[in-house]
Amino acid sequence: MRRQAHSYREDPSVPRFPDDRPVIVFDGECIFCSGWVRFMLRHDRQARYRYLTAQSPLGQALYRHYGLDTENYESNILIENGIARFKSDGSIRTLAGLGLPWSLVNICRILPAALRDPLYDLVARNRYRIAGRRQTCMVPTADERGRFIA
C-alpha cells in the first residue's frame, strides 16, 4: 500500500477532491459501516471529518490507488494530511480525532497492528452477518450533506 503523503494527487485516475480535512471512505451499503458514520456525525461536533462512500467513483478510484479490493471494502480508509490509514490504525486515529473521551482509545496503540488488525479483519469479514446490508445508501440530512463528498 502506498504511504507517501498525497500520492493520490499524482494519480491521474483519482479525481481531485477536497482534502483539507480528514476524509473517511466507508462501505455505504454496510449497515455496520453506515452506523459508524452516524456515530461520527453525532460526536464530531467540530465537523472535522468529511465522508465518502467506497461505491462512489472517487471511492473506487481511491481503493484502486491503494491496492484495495474494489468489490469487498473490508477496510475503511482514513485520509488525514494526505496519508491513508487502514484497518485498526485508521479507526483508532479517527476516534482519537474526536477528543475526550474518545481519544482514550489511543491506549490500544500499545498493541502492535499485527495483534489489532486480526480483530478488525474478523469484524470486517462478518460485517454483513453482524448488521446486514442496506438496499439503499445512507441519506445524510440537509445539515450533514455538506460533510459528504459526492
Side-chain angles (χ1 to χ4, degrees), residues 132-146:
R133 183 177 222 143
R134 287 187 177 274
Q135 299 305 314
T136 60
C137 291
M138 181 184 93
V139 179
T141 66
D143 289 341
E144 297 167 344
R145 208 165 288 131

Side-chain angles (χ1 to χ4, degrees), residues 2 8 13 18 21 26 37 40 42 56-57 64 67-68 70 111 118-119 122 125 128 134-135 149-150:
R2 302 171 195 210
Y8 50 84
S13 70
R21 293 187 298 185
F26 69 101
V37 171
M40 292 300 299
R42 191 170 45 255
S56 69
R64 276 191 301 278
L68 299 172
T70 58
L111 294 173
L119 177 60
L122 178 68
R125 267 193 316 276
Y128 295 131
R134 287 187 177 274
Q135 299 305 314
I149 300 171

